[in-house]
Amino acid sequence: MNELSESRKPLVLVADDSAAMREFCRLAIEQAGFNVALAQGGQEAIELFSRLKPDMILLDVIMP
């Protein structure tokens, strides 16, 4: 690993149309030591993905 990857926490993008599920995921993922970005729908998830380049995406497959 290089110095940059060792000094920053991985970023997880969570996309879910349920506010309760987004909050549950955020709490669990942050407790596991990751940074979290939240999106409430597909379009917002695409925009955040393009801008933030997350290390992982957790995606609700049934969204409007």
Side-chain angles (χ1 to χ4, degrees), residues 3-11 33 35 52-55:
E3 288 181 34
L4 177 61
S5 61
E6 291 176 359
S7 65
R8 76 167 184 91
K9 294 179 183 179
L11 176 64
N35 287 324
L52 301 177
K53 307 292 191 259
D55 299 290

Side-chain angles (χ1 to χ4, degrees), residues 11-28:
L11 176 64
V12 178
L13 172 59
V14 175
D16 199 306
D17 57 331
S18 165
M21 187 57 74
R22 284 193 310 273
E23 183 62 14
F24 172 78
C25 290
R26 182 189 67 76
L27 290 171

Side-chain angles (χ1 to χ4, degrees), residues 3 12 14-15 17 19 23-26 29 31-32 34 37 39 42 45-46 51 53-54 56 58-60 62-63:
E3 288 181 34
V12 178
V14 175
D17 57 331
E23 183 62 14
F24 172 78
C25 290
R26 182 189 67 76
I29 293 168
Q31 286 179 358
F34 296 87
I46 290 168
R51 191 172 79 237
K53 307 292 191 259
M56 184 170 62
L58 182 59
L59 178 64
D60 178 4
I62 303 174
M63 285 191 295

